[in-house]
Amino acid sequence: MTFAMGLVRDDEQVAGLIVLTVYARGDVAVCGRVLQGFTLRRFAVERFIADFSGFDHRLVRGLEDVRGEVLRMTIVVSLPSHDVLERISKFLNRVVDVYKVEHTFRI
């Protein structure tokens, strides 16, 4: 008997999953704008996690000089094709008050 499970089913037609870490101004409005942008563009968001814990963002490269609280969002997105990743990156970099976007993991 095997208990192995895949991340996606064969009929889902997904080219892959990408895990993004987005650092933005510590405000619920920014979190809402990011999530709204994903839904309007019809990207398949599998998980959306917002971390309001007030972590020490000065340890993140590129955020050493940012003053105030930084919100960390983790977003898992299904990619129907590989060119969608570029569109997602462009969208996130245009959102007001987003400081940095990292492609943390790709499946």
Side-chain angles (χ1 to χ4, degrees):
M1 184 184 297
T2 177
F3 293 100
M5 288 184 64
L7 292 174
V8 295
R9 293 181 300 204
D10 293 334
D11 62 345
E12 288 188 82
Q13 298 176 344
V14 173
L17 295 173
I18 187 82
V19 179
L20 302 169
T21 303
V22 179
Y23 298 97
R25 183 171 53 92
D27 191 354
V28 175
V30 178
C31 184
R33 283 197 304 266
V34 169
L35 187 56
Q36 181 183 25
F38 273 100
T39 57
L40 290 175
R41 285 165 181 80
R42 300 191 186 271
F43 296 128
V45 176
E46 302 293 335
R47 298 281 186 273
F48 186 89
I49 302 166
D51 179 11
F52 289 97
S53 66
F55 70 102
D56 188 8
H57 64 274
R58 293 172 298 186
L59 300 175
V60 178
R61 190 170 155 189
L63 299 179
E64 300 92 354
D65 298 331
V66 175
R67 295 176 188 242
E69 291 189 25
V70 174
L71 168 66
R72 177 174 44 195
M73 294 173 269
T74 303
I75 308 164
V76 180
V77 182
S78 294
L79 300 175
S81 63
H82 296 292
D83 62 327
V84 175
L85 178 57
E86 185 178 330
R87 289 186 9 225
I88 290 172
S89 297
K90 285 180 181 178
F91 152 68
L92 287 173
N93 287 319
R94 283 191 301 242
V95 175
V96 176
D97 295 326
V98 168
Y99 300 133
K100 182 176 181 175
V101 179
E102 293 180 340
H103 300 200
T104 311
F105 190 72
R106 185 174 187 147
I107 300 172

